[in-house]
Amino acid sequence: MKKITIDPITRLEGHGKIEIFLTDEGDVENVYFQVPELRGFEKFCEGRPVEELSQIVTKICGVCPGCHHMASGKAADAVFGVEPTSTAKKLRELFYMAHFVHSHIAHFYVLAAPDFVVGPTADPAKRNILGVIEKVGVEVGTEVIKQRRKAQEIQALLGGHQTHVVMNIPGGVRKGLTEEQRADIEKTAKGFIEFANFSLQVFNDVVLGNATYLDIILNGPYSLKIHSMGLVDENNKVNFYDGKVRVVDTVGNELCKYSPKEYMEYIAERVEPWSYLKFPYLKKIGWKGFVDGQDSGVYHATPLSRLNAADGMATPLAQIEYERMYKTLGGKPVHATLAMHWARLVELLYSAERCLELVTDPEITGKNLRTEIDRSKIVGEGVGTVEAQRGTLTHHYWTDKNGIVEKVNIIVGTTNNNAPICMSIKKAAQGLIEKGTEPSEGILNMIEMAFRAYDPCFSCATHRLPGDMPLIVNFMNKKGELIKTVKRD
Amino acid sequence: MTTEKKEKPKLKMAVYWGAACGGCCVSILDVHEKLFDVVAAADLVFWPIGLDFKYKDIEDMPDGHIDLTLFNGAIRNSENKYIAMLLRQKSKIMVAYGSCAHMGGIPGLANFSTKEELFDRVYFETESTVNPDKILPEPNYKIPEGKLELPYFYNDVLPLNKVVCVDYYLPGCPPQTERLLEVFMAIVNGSELPSKKSVIGAYDKTQCDECERKKTDNKKIKKFFRPWEIEDDGETCFIEQGVICMGPATRGGCGVRCIKGNAPCRGCYGPPPDSPDPGAKMMSAIATMIDSNEDVEIDKIIEDVVDPAGTFYRFSAPDSIIRRKL
Amino acid sequence: MSNEPKIVSFLCNWCSYTGADLAGTSRMKYAPNIRIIRVMCSGRVEPTFVLKAFREGADGVLICGCHPGDCHYHEGNYKCLRRYKLLKKYIKQMGIDEKRLRLEWISASEGKQFAELANEMAETMKDLGPANIKEKLDLFKKPKSINENENVEKEKSEAI
Amino acid sequence: MEEPRIGVYICWCGTNIAKMVDVEYVAEEMKKLQNVVVSRNYKYMCSDPGQDLIIKDIKENNLNRIVVSACSPRIHELTFRKALENAGLNSYLFEMANIREHVSWVHTDRKEATEKAKSLVIAAIKRVGFHESLDKRSVDINPATLIIGGGIAGITAALEIAETGKQVYLIEKNNCLGGNLAFVDLSYPDMSSVHQILDPKIEKVNKHPNIKVFLNTEIDEVFGYVGNFETKINGTAEIEEILKFGNVIVATGLKPFDPSVIPEYAYGKFPDVITSIEFEKMLKEGAIKTKYGKAPKNVGIIHCVGSRNNNYNEYCSRTCCASGLKYANQLRDALPDAGIYELYGDMRAFGKGCEELYTETSKKDIVFMMFDQRNDLPRIKTSGAKDNCNMIIKVNEKLSGEKLNIPVDMVVLLVGAQAQDNAKDIAHAVGISMCGNSFYIERHPKLDPVATTTDGVYIVGSCQGPKGIIDSVCQARAAVSRILGTIAQGSVQVEVTTAVVNEDICCGCQTCICVCPYTAISFDAEKNVSVVNEVLCKGCGTCGSACPTGAIRCRHFTDLQILSQIEGLMSLELEEV
């Protein structure tokens, strides 16, 4: 039997490894996606004062620290039994929208675009952000970096620290917004909206305008019929900061809708001996293996699933794009893995619009930043859930009467997608690797495109930056001896 | 006679992470527009987060092929350690980049519990986990199709210098991007570097030197407070408000970012020169400030220091004198 | 001697060290486990020293200063007391038995009390058994080169 | 820093160390240690030949670090430092390992003692490697002297110094000079009148141009160091005055024991049970009378009141026995027919002429009775209606073993001596130590009895332990000669083991400032760093331990020195060279 090892999977945060097993005939027998690392925050957060966690858990992931900061902050509020002041809530969400803008821009242009703008099987040396810039022009490249920077700057301003945020304190936030700061952000937010629209235009022209790409998206080996999870507001519209978790099945009917603190009734995690990362699934359906379809417990939590799980977007422009997307892709739910890129852009627009809404809210410069905590009212348990860019993120804390952490449970965005990623890769491999032939570089890249779409983050479990992808394919015989190495360069 | 200007050879640079969060890599990205200058001055020959080179590529390089390696993340497992040693051998300058590589960082908090406790919690006890067969990840696992390997998970988290010789330390969680650029440019321009083993991209003086909050000699503490217990005026030294701040024992260079965000310093930039154990130094300082000579009262006051290990060793446990729970 | 418990003791120059000298001049006998380091004042003793002593293989650490109110430097012994109490909380978290660290007041005239204390401390350490802190923390050796990297078995033993 | 070249010397101290520690073996072992150039053992390192050995080696092997392993540094550190200086080596490049007081004298197993000695020496060697040359500062001696206490000791010292033309400040907490002696009528053994000795001296002091007397005055803190002390005092007029002086003599004397705490003696219950002080007053007034104005028919004199008894003071107060004899004589002269009973524990008539006084007295029809002053004190009871006496003393006579009832009209209690109530405050003010009974500790009990471990501060008279006039005067003059010696030199070298701030590290957090007991640290807002005033710093090192950055170095007790000492202490096997 031959074994193809892709190690490490590059262009992803954290560590990942793909093992492709071929039969002697060269059919793909099985594919394993392994996460070789564990840090164990669940354990070592024990004994810490719960208010410190929002600063500790950002270190789960330096790419989406804001998400962990928010989930943790909300869980801590619950532990102390306090509601943040409405100004505090709005500041948090404002920060969070900026966080989404920066991340989604980065992913689309730096990580996804190369495959479409430059082309999935194009010269690897060109298949990166620099290649993208060549195609769309330097000023666009600079604009991408500028917009991302501005989003980072808003985070730094509100969060104190542009990466490992220190914004939240139980009951509210540590720092307010001055009028001139607010005015700046308002300008920036308008810029975001323009840029989001521009980005959708790019996607429209370059991707949708290209029959081949559209075909890959719709008919490529990139679709997986699984359930969709997402956070929705009281009108079932997409919301990232707050709301209820809604899951719709493969045909678009609501499977369940629950408030985050009930998550344990709906979600369970499975351990596989060959990966340090656990595999969540829908508890009520149960674990049926790495299989898709209506009866499988496997679900995904991604930009696409969020749109699938909601009835629409809460902001006007995004709502229009939402409808256009589903119209183009033939109605809800969409299972085309690559449509995630489109969904991500719709979310980018929403984030930008929401950003403007919040920053123009009169309360945003309010001085009442924090609700007093009454020691006697400490609840001792709290769940905090937000939508991370890479899926529904849940932090669950148990503390003693002084708010010292006794137990922690965390289900990270990408973890939700652990099983789907494995399956997508397998499916892509099976669809793309032709019997008996050694897979070309382009093929291998198209295999990686399968997980790239999830924008997986394996430090909170991966992500991607520019660069081409030389790949070593090891062909092994049954004894596991290396027969031949094909090296792509 | 014509003198033709020689093209300076581009710097070969590698970036790798051990047990890390990716924040260090993001801090490199955060050079923003300067990214173009960096790319112009250096070839990134290895950067898993960003570039598609495999371990094999490194193994094939001649020793000392890489000019500069920024190693971020701590040593948590056999893979981290192997790559660290591999990169050490292939690199002229090995920089421990960021708190985790420098001192163990946040992953180092795991040293307050054993590996077994960690696994039990993550794979058995966590409330949402269903694992009736008590399955644990295995370094070597037989599957029908063959064998799957995972790195060995070590008992404790180690800073980089515990497994390889480190030339420089560039502290911070993550390092302030300006500091990185200063160092990077210094190396590119071939300007003289400080003596080996020293910390670069940070100041010798600690946070207080830069901190704009009002400081007096009134460092007397009758009661310790947690940040949410006080009405922070945003102007007075945290310690003088009874809130523990690691600032005094922590190098400057970050731009007192947390304190500017009205959060007390937690020490990610590590100790100033010749301070063997920043946690112990800070414990000593804080305890000295306790404003009582009465046995019972002192106990009472210390009750409010709820988590000494996690507070004074938030980032430095694996690099401290007692580096893990015994 | 090697299997005998080792106790590092920090004594202030004015009271406790003089007290220990008095035990000597009075030819009082006590267990040889204690090794004395002289500091001018117990106020000079900082957690770093205590932790270092444990790290280097001490089974117990004993700090002695002047009686409350008698400090040659007014209040150094109180500063010591405060640090000691916080330090105790820390070492407990790190899994070091609190009884391994002790602070006592010994005046210049208390040679007898010092001798008794030394014996008591030695007894406690024998009851607790060896701390083996050095052994536990020396476990991970830094390999000279990649070729010398421990084989998988060694890795395994470290991993377990 | 240059590569250390260390010389190690293991002292036998005759057999004191050698009998319990294998000194040859230890010396041999040390040769294996890095940087150890010579390692020897010798009978008496502190002897001149011993010191010459070191000096010779320093010169021949150009050693730059010395470790002597012998007795306590509190005894001979200075001796050996001098030796280094004589060899032209900075005296701080020296470390001592105490293997006598801390090893040979306290352990019983030679093997274990040797092992321990070994590790102590290794520790010293590791430490000394990090020692630095410290320049002793030589400071001019202010010729003025502060004397605390205007008793016989203080007065004597004051006059001695003033006579040489040097300024003296004499501080007395009471409203008159003379101290306890002022209450005494006659002095033993010659029965000469005290006021004939004392009054002229007091008058001379009050008149002396070089002596400034401050009555009703107590000092609270003395700043500075030998040669350059200063203190603030509030005189009677409540005007603050700053005194500057080069040396201090502590002559605060003693306080009589209060017998009311001894139930047996019913002091305060029976008006005719009186203390020796009260009796002296009576004698001075020239009339020995009971409360009812009658001359007592029988008088009891009880010794060791509050002395040599575990419930009170264990020590002997030294003057009571002779005073008791003195009283017997004075009583006999005043009341030829009275019955006089001396109840004593042991008769300690030591000193010139005192045994003679005892013999003389015993011939004067005085009844001497012995009791067990530790476990069986006499008891004073009321007399019955028919006994014609004031009180009955019930005593178990030790020599005869008989239970006796002694009828008396008056009992004189020979109260012992105690340290002053404010002894501790004075000790803190001038920076000296006290022993268990709150008497001050001398630098060396035999070789240096009036000096203290604080340079420039001397202790004389009963504040160092109970004394009679003669001893007090001797000590006073002894201290004076030491002081005049230093004044004559004009300058003196001072310790420099003070704290110092590294301004490149100090972050200006100001943690150290309120930590210093001597307000020696101030904040330089300009530079944003702390600054140590080395004149005020006494080198306790507390600021060093409080400093979160490590910017404060405690000279000669640096982190590095202590940490390497710990390593040495714990190092199991010796690395070969």
Side-chain angles (χ1 to χ4, degrees), chain A residues 51-229:
Chain A
E51 67 272 15
E52 294 290 318
L53 261 52
S54 66
Q55 276 144 274
I56 292 175
V57 296
T58 57
K59 275 71 171 182
I60 289 175
C61 174
V63 180
C64 54
C67 312
H68 293 282
H69 188 69
M70 287 305 158
S72 182
K74 288 170 74 179
D77 294 337
V79 164
F80 284 110
V82 284
E83 248 324 280
T85 62
S86 85
T87 298
K89 273 192 188 160
K90 287 174 175 155
L91 283 167
R92 285 185 185 181
E93 191 176 354
L94 175 60
F95 165 91
Y96 204 44
M97 290 307 108
H99 194 40
F100 261 76
V101 169
H102 118 263
S103 175
H104 276 8
I105 290 177
H107 183 271
F108 179 71
Y109 284 95
V110 188
L111 316 177
D115 292 326
F116 296 102
V117 180
V118 186
T121 54
D123 170 5
K126 294 252 177 277
R127 203 177 53 229
N128 57 40
I129 178 66
L130 304 171
V132 173
I133 291 170
E134 253 179 53
K135 276 233 170 163
V136 296
V138 174
E139 62 292 335
V140 177
T142 329
E143 190 59 21
V144 170
I145 294 173
K146 178 174 154 228
Q147 293 297 335
R148 180 178 170 279
R149 190 191 77 233
K150 285 192 160 300
Q152 284 280 58
E153 283 166 358
I154 295 176
Q155 293 177 67
L157 176 70
L158 296 167
H161 190 314
Q162 68 185 21
T163 308
H164 291 311
V165 201
V166 297
M167 179 180 197
N168 293 344
I169 184 164
V173 295
R174 298 178 194 263
K175 219 174 159 196
L177 205 58
T178 67
E179 173 48 34
E180 71 268 25
Q181 289 169 330
R182 190 207 63 78
D184 287 352
I185 299 179
E186 184 176 350
K187 285 199 212 68
T188 315
K190 291 184 176 136
F192 289 160
I193 296 177
E194 259 177 57
F195 188 72
N197 280 318
F198 166 80
S199 307
L200 278 154
Q201 197 53 48
V202 171
F203 189 81
N204 198 46
D205 306 347
V206 181
V207 181
L208 303 180
N210 180 320
T212 341
Y213 298 165
L214 196 58
D215 178 61
I216 294 176
I217 295 179
L218 295 174
N219 316 318
Y222 296 109
S223 84
L224 207 57
K225 279 198 171 42
I226 50 176
H227 313 300
S228 304
M229 173 185 283

Side-chain angles (χ1 to χ4, degrees), chain C residues 1 4 6 8 10-11 13-14 17-18 20-21 23-25 27-32 34-41 43-46 48-49 52-53 56-58 68-74 76 79 83 108-109 134, chain D residues 16 72-74 77 98 101-102 105-108 111-112 115-116 119-120 221 424 428 431-436 441 453-454 515 517-518 538-542 544-546 554 557-559 562-563 565-567 569-570 572:
Chain C
M1 193 60 207
E4 278 280 317
K6 280 200 164 72
V8 172
F10 299 92
L11 306 190
N13 178 63
W14 304 97
Y17 195 92
T18 316
D21 279 359
T25 40
R27 308 296 198 278
M28 293 161 176
K29 305 299 176 206
Y30 58 82
I34 240 168
R35 280 125 170 69
I36 293 168
I37 288 177
R38 179 172 70 137
V39 288
M40 293 313 281
C41 176
R44 176 67 186 105
V45 179
E46 52 177 277
T48 314
F49 303 162
K52 178 73 171 175
E56 293 301 319
D70 289 356
C71 174
H72 182 76
Y73 303 101
H74 298 26
K79 311 281 187 337
R83 294 174 191 140
S109 60
K134 187 176 172 50
Chain D
N16 280 304
S72 170
R74 291 180 60 91
E77 191 169 42
N98 182 348
E101 283 80 351
H102 293 178
W105 278 351
V106 288
H107 300 324
T108 49
K111 194 178 164 304
E112 288 176 339
E115 278 304 310
K116 178 175 174 180
S119 61
L120 289 176
E221 182 71 60
K424 185 186 287 177
H428 280 166
I432 57 176
S433 312
M434 301 186 299
C435 70
I441 291 182
T453 44
T454 306
V515 169
Y518 305 103
K538 291 188 196 280
C540 64
T542 309
S545 309
C554 308
F557 288 90
T558 64
D559 287 3
I562 295 173
L563 291 173
Q565 187 176 8
I566 296 169
E567 273 174 32
L569 218 47
M570 290 288 111
L572 299 165

Side-chain angles (χ1 to χ4, degrees), chain B residues 78 81-82 85-86 89 112 115-116 152-155 158 161-165 276-277 280-281 283-284 286-290 292-293 295 298-299 302-303 305-310 312-313 320-326, chain C residues 44-49 51-52 54-55 75 78-79 81-87 89-90 92-96 132-133 136-150 152-153 155-160:
Chain B
S78 52
K81 182 179 171 191
Y82 172 75
M85 299 179 70
L86 188 59
Q89 193 164 330
F112 297 151
K115 175 193 172 193
E116 287 67 27
Y152 288 100
F153 192 92
Y154 290 151
N155 229 333
L158 297 154
N161 66 5
K162 287 264 195 327
V163 293
V164 298
C165 297
D277 187 313
K281 280 276 180 205
M283 248 193 285
S284 195
I286 285 288
T288 310
M289 296 173 196
I290 291 171
S292 169
N293 294 338
D295 220 61
I298 297 173
D299 288 332
I302 285 176
E303 264 177 33
V305 186
V306 288
D307 176 24
F312 299 110
Y313 293 90
S320 64
I321 295 176
I322 306 294
R323 72 163 190 276
R324 74 150 189 250
K325 190 178 175 202
L326 295 152
Chain C
R44 176 67 186 105
V45 179
E46 52 177 277
T48 314
F49 303 162
L51 297 174
K52 178 73 171 175
F54 280 124
R55 174 67 183 83
E75 286 203 341
Y78 289 121
K79 311 281 187 337
L81 175 67
R82 301 169 194 171
R83 294 174 191 140
Y84 162 79
K85 285 178 172 292
L86 181 54
L87 181 57
K89 195 167 177 176
Y90 167 68
K92 195 172 169 200
Q93 258 183 308
M94 299 309 283
I96 300 174
N132 292 332
I133 294 168
K136 285 181 192 157
L137 294 185
D138 282 349
L139 185 128
F140 206 114
K141 303 251 179 301
K142 188 194 285 188
K144 293 272 172 299
S145 88
I146 192 151
N147 316 327
E148 272 180 39
N149 191 15
E150 300 88 307
V152 174
E153 293 318 306
E155 300 274 23
K156 213 178 245 159
S157 70
E158 272 168 12
I160 295 151

